[in-house]
Amino acid sequence: MHLLAGVLLRFGRAIPTIPHGSESPRVLMDLNLREISYFLKVTELGSLGSAAAALAISQPALSRALKRLENRLGGELFVRHALGMDLTAFGEAFVPHARILRADADRTIADLNLLKGAARGVARVGIVPSAASFVLPPVFERALRRAPDIEIHVVEAPSMQLTADLEHGTIDFAIASALPTQNTETIAVSELLREQMFVVARRGHPLAGGDPCTVADLMRFPWIVPEKGNAILLELRKMFMRAGVEPPRASVASNSVHTLKLTVASSDFLTMLPAMAIRHEEEQGLLAPVTTGLPDIFRDLCVLRRAARPLLPAANLVLSEIRDLVASGKGALQDPLVRPDKGFMGQPKERGPGVSYVNGLPHADPR
């Protein structure tokens, strides 16, 4: 099956590494979605035999398909050796474009099926773990009430991973933090909410419920924090950098909000979590914010989308319900949240004294 011309032409502009002398418009029109899928399967498994078995075709047929793709692109995609197949530099450059081409073709087919009434509609939603269980359950009910036949697929991951998923076309939109290294040429960012962040301890912890503690007090206890790529970790780093010190070493790292809360509730560990994530445990007397005497910390949750791709109806419906839920301020989505009408995305990011940035990450200022 051949890809649509609009997708192919965009791909033609995107790959500068096709050798000069190729007749790129004709070559691109000859690209075949099946061959692209074969290429991605071999890339995933690293072996012609494993890929052929997974695709249920013969190795000679798969080899011929890859050779046709290489001929059309004008360069070798793999180095073949006794233990398998490794990507060439040309092949490495082609991988992200192949993923986008396949995803765009799938979404184009979905568009056409929706127009024909032959599909129910699928919404692929990415969201950071610290917001998923508080934002999505009421959205599921509201969206399915309006469109009972749609399917909603959810991916929970840190903001950095969700950005990559968007670029690969595997999700329609993401509820995440707009990281400093965001490529805004390919990802469109719009505001959703601003939420206060807290250092969190168990009820009865030596630092909970007393006078404001110092940075030195915070350093005396073990910390459990999210993995790298999580915006909560960036905010934690910024809080300590503004005080002119390196953040404490994480004794445990986990992107599971459930694990973070259970560990803190049953030990002297500290962590940082957003307001909505601790509201229920605070009401039950299990967790408590720690008063630090430091400036308040906030995170901005945004809607991230691929700039060049309109949302399909099912995804648009789910996003609309998310925005309506946030605007309602119900349940876990109560104050302290700053609504979009505050214009927080239009304000310059406060970087503060004692903080410098290297590759988009906060580091202590040597001054």
Side-chain angles (χ1 to χ4, degrees), residues 27 30-32 35-40 63-75 77-78 90 94 98:
V27 168
D30 284 343
L31 282 179
N32 184 285
E35 292 169 1
I36 289 174
S37 296
Y38 290 174
F39 163 76
L40 290 173
S63 183
R64 287 193 298 270
L66 292 176
K67 190 62 179 177
R68 285 194 300 271
L69 182 59
E70 289 177 327
N71 290 340
R72 285 166 180 154
L73 291 174
L77 297 169
F78 294 100
F90 186 85
F94 181 56

Side-chain angles (χ1 to χ4, degrees), residues 48 71 80 88 95 104 176 252 270 292 344:
L48 196 68
N71 290 340
R80 294 152 175 84
T88 63
V95 168
D104 278 349
V252 182
L270 301 174
T292 65
F344 66 81

